Amino acid sequence: MENTQKLFELACSCRLNAYTPYSHFKVGAALLSGNHKFFCGCNVENASYPCGTCAEAGAISAMAAAGETKILEILIVADTPQILPCGNCLQKILEFGDDNTLVHSADLNGSIKTFRLYDLIPHFFKAGDIKNAD
Ligand code: THU
């Protein structure tokens, strides 16, 4: 619970920096990595719409840049009753998650719903499906 609260606070403060001149929909994400470090990200849009990046992607990039390769928990917050990662972000989370990884969905009031990653996407493409993957 303490971790979840810290994730919420981090995601909320990062969300304030979201760059959203097109959608005006600000999203914040924060994650707890395998070595118990916290990372956060926000969505960054672009005049060429598909170039925009989601909040989760920002948090995952920060984690990878720090040499971390495991996501224990990730929290997403937006001004909506229940935000869940888009399909693209679920795939990104899967890369560093496992069947214990938790995904928390928060609204701005701090109401938090928790899901297991594998319940959100029970069937998926993974490294093991590629013949020569590490
Ligand atoms: N967005 C995220 O940051 N994360 C998600 O999981 C869903 C969508 C952003 C992308 C875009 O900047 C805005 O929300 C509207 O789609």
Side-chain angles (χ1 to χ4, degrees), residues 49-68:
Y49 293 1
C51 294
T53 51
C54 286
E56 297 91 321
I60 290 169
S61 289
M63 179 197 80
E68 292 287 292

Side-chain angles (χ1 to χ4, degrees), residues 20 23 25 27 43-45 53-56 76 83-86 89:
T20 58
S23 75
F25 184 67
V27 184
N43 51 335
V44 180
E45 299 182 344
T53 51
C54 286
E56 297 91 321
I76 301 122
I83 172 122
L84 285 169
C86 70
C89 287

Side-chain angles (χ1 to χ4, degrees), residues 8 22 39 43-44 46 57 75 82 123-124 132:
F8 176 68
Y22 308 104
F39 299 94
N43 51 335
V44 180
N46 191 284
L75 182 143
Q82 179 172 294
H123 306 286
F124 53 87
N132 297 320

Side-chain angles (χ1 to χ4, degrees), residues 17-119:
N17 295 328
Y19 177 75
T20 58
Y22 308 104
S23 75
H24 304 288
F25 184 67
K26 290 179 179 291
V27 184
L31 66 83
L32 179 63
S33 71
N35 286 317
H36 223 84
K37 294 179 182 164
F38 290 88
F39 299 94
C40 62
C42 58
N43 51 335
V44 180
E45 299 182 344
N46 191 284
S48 176
Y49 293 1
C51 294
T53 51
C54 286
E56 297 91 321
I60 290 169
S61 289
M63 179 197 80
E68 292 287 292
T69 54
K70 189 95 233 155
I71 297 175
L72 301 179
E73 302 181 40
I74 184 165
L75 182 143
I76 301 122
V77 63
D79 188 11
T80 189
Q82 179 172 294
I83 172 122
L84 285 169
C86 70
N88 195 27
C89 287
L90 283 173
Q91 185 69 33
K92 288 177 190 288
I93 297 166
L94 284 164
E95 185 71 19
F96 301 106
D98 61 25
D99 58 355
N100 292 314
T101 300
L102 299 177
V103 177
H104 308 288
S105 164
D107 68 15
L108 293 186
N109 298 319
S111 165
I112 298 173
K113 294 173 194 156
T114 299
F115 302 83
R116 294 168 55 89
L117 175 62
Y118 283 13
D119 286 337

